Amino acid sequence: MMKFDDKAYLAKTIKMHRKKLNLTQAELAEKVDLSDQHISRIESGCYTPSLKSFFQIVSVLNIDLREFGFNMDLTNNPTKDNLISRIAQATDAELIFYENSMNAINTSLATLKKNLL
C-alpha cells in the first residue's frame, strides 16, 4: 500500500526520523532548501511535500522508501536491485555522474559492436 498520500503517516515518519538524527526542523529545512515553517506544516500533517521535496527529505533523513510503500525490490537479481537502490538514494550530483558513466559505457559498447561486425 502506498503511504505517500497519507499525510498523517508521512508527518509522523518524517518527524520520527528527524528526531532520531537529532535535527531541528530549521536544520532539516536548511538541508532541503525549504523554510522551517514548511517543515513544521509537513510534520503536523497540514502539507504534503512535493515529490522533489519528499525525495530530498527522505535522502537527508536516510529513510528507506519501503516505509512509504515504495517497492524497491522489483527483481530477483541482486545486482539490479543494488543499482536500483543506489539510484533511488543518490544525490543530484551522483545521478549526473551515473548517467554520464552509463552514456560513456553505452557509447563504448556500440563502438565495440560496430567494429566486431
Side-chain angles (χ1 to χ4, degrees):
M1 178 177 128
M2 192 65 75
K3 296 179 182 176
F4 176 74
D5 57 354
D6 182 343
K7 285 183 188 178
Y9 181 81
L10 198 66
K12 179 182 76 164
T13 304
I14 289 171
K15 185 175 186 176
M16 176 186 69
H17 282 277
R18 177 183 58 77
K19 287 187 170 198
K20 243 198 281 190
L21 294 175
N22 295 315
L23 289 174
T24 65
Q25 288 179 340
E27 290 168 330
L28 175 59
E30 185 177 324
K31 290 177 182 285
V32 296
D33 198 29
L34 295 173
S35 70
D36 52 334
Q37 294 89 353
H38 197 85
I39 295 295
S40 175
R41 289 178 182 124
I42 290 170
E43 287 188 0
S44 67
C46 295
Y47 288 176
T48 300
S50 67
L51 273 176
K52 179 182 177 187
S53 294
F54 171 77
F55 285 115
Q56 288 174 322
I57 292 167
V58 167
S59 177
V60 166
L61 298 178
N62 198 27
I63 303 173
D64 188 330
L65 290 174
R66 287 176 281 224
E67 285 193 49
F68 298 101
F70 289 92
N71 184 358
M72 299 306 295
D73 298 323
L74 301 176
T75 75
N76 289 323
N77 180 326
T79 302
K80 192 173 195 177
D81 290 341
N82 183 31
L83 289 171
I84 290 169
S85 178
R86 285 177 182 240
I87 289 169
Q89 296 175 13
T91 65
D92 287 344
E94 290 168 336
L95 287 173
I96 291 167
F97 174 78
Y98 292 155
E99 182 179 30
N100 290 339
S101 298
M102 290 303 299
N103 287 339
I105 291 168
N106 286 334
T107 300
S108 295
L109 287 173
T111 302
L112 180 64
K113 286 179 186 178
K114 184 179 175 182
N115 290 337
L116 291 176
L117 296 176

